[in-house]
Amino acid sequence: FQLSFVAMASLIFVLPKWERLLASPDREEKFHAASGLSLLQFWKRFWASMVQTFLASLAAIFGMFPILTWYFNLFSLIGFLANIIVIPMCTAGIALTLVILALDLVFRPLAEWFTFVPLLVFRIEVWLIDLFAKVPSGFVYLPRPSWLFLILYYALLMAWLFASKWIRPRQLRFVFPIAMGIATGMFLWNAFWLRPGFIFFDLGRSQAVFISFSN
């Protein structure tokens, strides 16, 4: 519930800010003025869709990072690439499923013939997810952050999203994301220097070992 809520909030509040930073002023006009669909226009729209998916994935991770680290001690590096490929496939699979459901209302035997199409898309999607999960160094282990880091991270995030509207001059608004970057950098720096420990205890007739991991 926490991950879903924070991810959706990130898409609502964080993603539009990043889109405005990257969007050109005449982008919307060019999009509506374009007639037909040439190869160049198709490539531009395809590239814009990939950028949109990447930004959405980045915004969700941006909001969920402390919670993900707190519960799972993991941070996925390969997830950004995986989302660019998997999310469009998931969208296509859902759209094809809706088509099959509509076709089932009209002519059920034909719908039964074509049920393999969305099923194939979803199976390829699961196979790709499993493939990405096996990429070496695709994710890193991190220690559980302190409560102080969680409070500081989300306080600065909220300040950047909402309080910055009333801050003048505009240059001061970047203080909050810079502070978030510094706090996150300090957390990652401390995590980098944590090393696993392996200690033997001589208990007489037997031995015991204490293993401490960086996470």
Side-chain angles (χ1 to χ4, degrees):
F1 170 77
Q2 293 173 23
L3 292 174
S4 299
F5 182 85
V6 173
M8 184 59 65
S10 300
L11 295 178
I12 294 173
F13 297 107
V14 177
L15 180 59
K17 281 182 170 288
W18 291 351
E19 289 178 332
R20 285 194 293 270
L21 290 175
L22 295 179
S24 58
D26 58 342
R27 177 183 174 186
E28 196 69 23
E29 294 180 9
K30 288 181 179 179
F31 181 81
H32 289 294
S35 58
L37 188 63
S38 65
L39 185 60
L40 181 61
Q41 291 171 344
F42 175 81
W43 169 252
K44 287 182 177 179
R45 294 184 185 182
F46 175 78
W47 178 253
S49 176
M50 293 298 99
V51 172
Q52 171 83 9
T53 304
F54 177 80
L55 287 178
S57 176
L58 190 62
I61 295 296
F62 185 72
M64 295 190 299
F65 173 73
I67 300 178
L68 285 171
T69 310
W70 178 271
Y71 285 113
F72 304 108
N73 299 114
L74 288 173
F75 180 71
S76 174
L77 300 173
I78 198 68
F80 299 108
L81 176 61
N83 286 340
I84 291 177
I85 299 174
V86 170
I87 290 178
M89 289 191 65
C90 182
T91 304
I94 294 173
L96 289 170
T97 302
L98 293 176
V99 171
I100 295 298
L101 289 173
L103 187 61
D104 181 70
L105 296 175
V106 180
F107 191 61
R108 174 167 294 184
L110 187 61
E112 293 176 353
W113 271 97
F114 286 99
T115 51
F116 75 93
V117 178
L119 182 62
L120 179 64
V121 173
F122 285 124
R123 286 183 174 176
I124 294 175
E125 178 187 355
V126 172
W127 175 78
L128 285 172
I129 292 173
D130 183 65
L131 189 67
F132 280 118
K134 295 177 180 178
V135 172
S137 303
F139 57 90
V140 294
Y141 290 98
L142 293 173
R144 172 174 286 191
S146 64
W147 280 105
L148 179 62
F149 175 73
L150 262 72
I151 295 172
L152 182 63
Y153 187 94
Y154 284 113
L156 291 171
L157 178 59
M158 297 290 287
W160 175 60
L161 291 175
F162 302 109
S164 60
K165 295 181 180 180
W166 298 280
I167 293 179
R168 300 292 186 273
R170 295 183 60 183
Q171 287 76 9
L172 291 178
R173 301 177 185 179
F174 293 99
V175 171
F176 300 113
I178 291 173
M180 288 181 64
I182 294 174
T184 305
M186 293 177 63
F187 165 69
L188 295 176
W189 178 261
N190 292 331
F192 175 78
W193 287 108
L194 287 175
R195 289 290 183 262
F198 195 84
I199 305 172
F200 281 103
F201 294 92
D202 187 357
L203 303 179
R205 293 184 178 180
S206 60
Q207 279 79 33
V209 64
F210 174 77
I211 305 174
S212 62
F213 297 94
S214 59
N215 60 342

